[in-house]
Amino acid sequence: MIHVLQTGNQKIFHGICLNVLSMMKHTKEPIHLHIMTMQISWSKVPKISEASVDYLRKVMKSFNFENEVSYYDISEDFEATFKNTPNMDPKYSPASLIRLLFPKYIDCDKLIYLDADTMTCSSLEEFKKIDIEDKEMAVCLDYLGKFWIKKDYFNSGVLYINVKKVKETQLFENAVKLLQQKKLYFSDQSALYMFCKEKVYIPFRFNEQRSIKSDTVVKHFCKGIRYLPFFKVYNYKQWNVKKLHSFFKMHDFDDIFEQYERIFPMEAKLEY
């Protein structure tokens, strides 16, 4: 069974649902999806509801009865950990910090973490070919960060984690302690970069931050820059369907979008 972690709040749950459908399309091995969420006092965005996750579980089991979904509401823990700290309201969202608390709740051998703004393009079984037995994580470089921050700066949107190893080294706990004391611009990502000493860098095909290639495993819809015909900073997600079609000329997930609107009518937030 492949263990996958996705985190967030109700605002981006439709992104998780889209990604799950892409997993169901490409990955035949059973998937155990772990969903971590929270509701905190300094944000009005609600947590992912247990009812929503129950429905998602039914959908996943309709594809493969061996699929599993675990739900973790870590609201109290998150509030106690990050309230009144320098990073309680980071650049992207407080929800971006949820992943740092996963070692308290999840116990498995290997874990694939995927941001909500990702979609799979081929089987997640490809990750199992990566040797991380003596490593904490397998990571991909950050496409922009390798130019603007450090040449080995990695992107935390896709992580292949050796759970036993990171619990031994307390990688995620150390990242949390740092963020409780010091403000970082790319909070969780920079903290993990600073403390992760035993890592292996893997090709962009596992965290493709630009155009999809023939061997892409995960497409990450993160922020980018286009220089021609004029300079533009873009940050379009997979649910921005009109922009995927017009700006990127991308139609790779059209079948997923159609399927999503049939299966998740209550979550439908696609932008045409």
Side-chain angles (χ1 to χ4, degrees), residues 5 36 98-106 111 161 172:
L5 170 63
M36 297 181 67
I98 294 175
R99 76 195 81 178
L100 298 180
L101 301 178
F102 97 83
K104 296 182 181 181
Y105 301 92
I106 300 175
L111 180 68
I161 306 169
F172 286 77

Side-chain angles (χ1 to χ4, degrees), residues 16-232:
I16 293 175
C17 293
L18 285 166
N19 198 8
V20 165
L21 290 179
S22 71
M23 295 181 212
M24 297 299 96
K25 176 181 178 180
H26 296 291
T27 304
K28 302 311 176 186
E29 186 171 339
I31 292 175
H32 187 155
L33 179 65
H34 302 265
I35 295 182
M36 297 181 67
T37 188
M38 52 69 169
Q39 172 69 60
I40 49 176
S41 60
W42 62 94
S43 173
K44 295 181 180 179
V45 183
K47 64 187 177 184
I48 297 171
S49 70
E50 193 163 5
S52 294
V53 174
D54 285 342
Y55 185 82
L56 179 59
R57 182 181 296 108
K58 292 178 182 178
V59 170
M60 289 183 65
K61 284 188 172 292
S62 72
F63 285 91
N64 185 338
F65 188 73
E66 294 183 71
N67 288 334
E68 297 288 347
V69 181
S70 294
Y71 173 79
Y72 311 87
D73 176 359
I74 64 164
S75 300
E76 291 185 10
D77 189 7
F78 190 95
E79 184 118 2
T81 302
F82 289 109
K83 188 175 183 180
N84 298 323
T85 66
N87 295 279
M88 63 181 285
D89 191 18
K91 174 178 172 57
Y92 287 103
S93 164
S96 65
L97 303 177
I98 294 175
R99 76 195 81 178
L100 298 180
L101 301 178
F102 97 83
K104 296 182 181 181
Y105 301 92
I106 300 175
D107 189 19
C108 60
D109 185 21
K110 305 295 189 305
L111 180 68
I112 302 170
Y113 169 79
L114 299 174
D115 269 355
D117 61 347
T118 59
M119 296 281 279
T120 68
C121 301
S122 56
S123 177
L124 292 176
E125 294 175 44
E126 290 295 305
F127 279 93
K128 299 175 73 172
K129 299 176 183 178
I130 304 168
D131 182 7
I132 58 170
E133 289 305 316
D134 61 343
K135 304 295 183 182
E136 293 171 301
M137 300 192 298
V139 299
C140 293
L141 290 171
D142 188 274
Y143 188 87
L144 293 178
K146 65 187 174 70
F147 295 112
W148 300 105
I149 301 176
K150 287 189 177 181
K151 63 181 181 181
D152 65 343
Y153 188 73
F154 62 76
N155 182 283
S156 65
V158 178
L159 302 170
Y160 185 38
I161 306 169
N162 182 335
V163 177
K164 180 180 179 180
K165 187 73 172 179
V166 299
K167 287 187 178 183
E168 289 175 355
T169 63
Q170 295 192 314
L171 168 61
F172 286 77
E173 291 85 347
N174 289 330
V176 168
K177 290 177 183 177
L178 176 65
L179 295 178
Q180 289 174 325
Q181 301 168 9
K182 183 178 180 180
K183 179 71 174 179
L184 297 179
Y185 188 73
F186 298 113
S187 51
D188 64 297
Q189 183 165 277
S190 293
L192 289 173
Y193 170 76
M194 293 169 69
F195 283 104
C196 186
K197 305 303 180 185
E198 302 176 53
K199 54 186 173 290
V200 57
Y201 285 90
I202 51 179
F204 278 119
R205 62 187 290 254
F206 291 98
N207 183 359
E208 181 52 69
Q209 299 153 55
R210 292 300 177 267
S211 300
I212 294 173
K213 314 297 191 301
S214 61
D215 64 347
T216 297
V217 178
V218 177
K219 165 60 182 166
H220 190 182
F221 292 88
C222 53
K223 184 178 292 187
I225 298 174
R226 180 173 285 187
Y227 294 94
L228 296 174
F230 51 83
F231 181 86
K232 179 178 177 62

